[in-house]
């Protein structure tokens, strides 16, 4: 990228730490060294207003800042961001995944492979962060063969806990019953690998939600 492999910083109205390897920061921002941690931090100018003094407002802003951004807000650092968030998800580093979401311009296209990887490896904390950030659980992962989504990949790997998380995040029968290129639902993939017990428990979790019509 034009940033030399470093992501652009996504500022907020509260202080956020800069990545150890450095962000590329736009002009007009405020910087400081946190004297308690020795970490470099950055934010939008606030005119002297310290959001950290209002815990409720800070919590709301923190949650909003952790969400993925629209495609229209993507910068030209998507290649390095994709590598960094996928690496963090591969190692189950939930703290780093959250920090990247908050401090970088991460779209769903960048975050989706990380969700798939975390789901297939059973990293429930990373999956929870990415789902809360707005990554769709039923989206097909282009980087993986077979037209599979994160639920398919979690089931293929026998990861019941993350598969359950993904099902809980789905809201329509079409999402739950999504099929891979060969026509397999998540239930089909489990049964093909002699994991019928997991299939039964996952489908039982759908009871009362009226989401199993396509299975």
């Amino acid at each position: 990228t034009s940033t030399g492999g470093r992501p652009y910083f996504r500022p907020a109205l509260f202080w956020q730490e800069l990545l150890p390897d450095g962000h590329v920061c736009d002009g007009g921002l405020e910087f400081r060294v946190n004297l308690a941690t020795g970490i470099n931090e950055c934010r939008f100018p606030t005119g002297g207003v310290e959001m950290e003094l209002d815990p409720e407002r800070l919590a709301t802003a923190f949650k909003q800042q952790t969400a993925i951004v629209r495609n229209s807000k993507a910068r030209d650092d998507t290649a390095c961001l994709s590598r960094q968030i996928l690496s963090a998800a591969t190692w189950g580093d939930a703290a780093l995944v959250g920090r990247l979401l908050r401090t970088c311009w991460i779209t769903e296209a960048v975050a989706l492979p990380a969700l798939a990887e975390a789901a297939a490896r059973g990293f429930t904390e990373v999956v929870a962060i990415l789902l809360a950030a707005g990554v769709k659980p039923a989206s097909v992962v282009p980087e993986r063969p077979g037209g599979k989504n994160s639920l398919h990949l979690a089931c293929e790997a026998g990861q019941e806990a993350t598969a359950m998380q993904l099902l809980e995040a789905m809201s329509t029968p079409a999402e739950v019953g999504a099929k891979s290129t060969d026509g397999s639902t998540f239930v089909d993939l489990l049964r093909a690998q002699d994991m019928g017990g997991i299939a039964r428990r996952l489908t039982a979790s759908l009871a009362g939600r009226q989401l199993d019509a396509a299975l």
Side-chain angles (χ1 to χ4, degrees):
T1 69
S2 63
T3 61
R6 294 183 298 156
Y8 286 102
F9 182 72
R10 178 187 172 195
L13 291 173
F14 55 90
W15 291 109
Q16 298 189 97
E17 66 180 89
L18 298 172
L19 292 172
D21 292 334
H23 281 93
V24 174
C25 298
D26 296 317
L29 301 177
E30 294 182 344
F31 298 86
R32 76 173 185 183
V33 176
N34 187 315
L35 297 180
T37 64
I39 293 173
N40 294 321
E41 298 178 335
C42 185
R43 71 177 181 184
F44 278 126
T46 65
V49 176
E50 298 295 335
M51 186 174 288
E52 286 77 4
L53 299 178
D54 186 339
E56 184 175 345
R57 186 181 176 194
L58 177 62
T60 299
F62 192 88
K63 181 178 179 180
Q64 293 172 341
Q65 187 72 11
T66 308
I68 55 174
V69 302
R70 298 189 304 271
N71 289 335
S72 61
K73 290 185 174 292
R75 308 289 291 263
D76 62 355
D77 58 354
T78 54
C80 73
L81 275 180
S82 296
R83 290 192 299 271
Q84 290 188 33
I85 196 168
L86 181 59
S87 176
T90 299
W91 290 100
D93 192 338
L96 180 54
V97 169
R99 190 179 307 127
L100 288 168
L101 285 164
R102 286 191 303 276
T103 64
C104 302
W105 301 92
I106 293 181
T107 63
E108 182 174 30
V110 169
L112 182 58
L115 176 63
E117 187 70 18
R121 290 177 177 266
F123 293 132
T124 55
E125 190 175 357
V126 175
V127 169
I129 290 170
L130 290 166
L131 289 174
V135 185
K136 295 181 177 63
S139 295
V140 172
V141 185
E143 292 79 3
R144 299 294 190 97
K148 294 169 184 172
N149 60 30
S150 297
L151 176 61
H152 295 144
L153 296 166
C155 289
E156 278 191 326
Q159 299 292 353
E160 183 173 355
T162 53
M164 187 72 76
Q165 287 179 289
L166 294 163
L167 279 175
E168 289 173 350
M170 294 179 179
S171 58
T172 69
E175 289 180 317
V176 171
K179 297 180 180 180
S180 61
T181 302
D182 67 3
S184 298
T185 66
F186 78 89
V187 173
D188 297 326
L189 292 169
L190 285 167
R191 288 174 177 163
Q193 299 186 81
D194 295 322
M195 292 188 282
I198 295 178
R200 286 190 294 274
R201 289 190 291 273
L202 291 178
T203 53
S205 74
L206 300 171
R209 296 179 62 200
Q210 299 180 333
L211 297 178
D212 57 353
L215 297 176

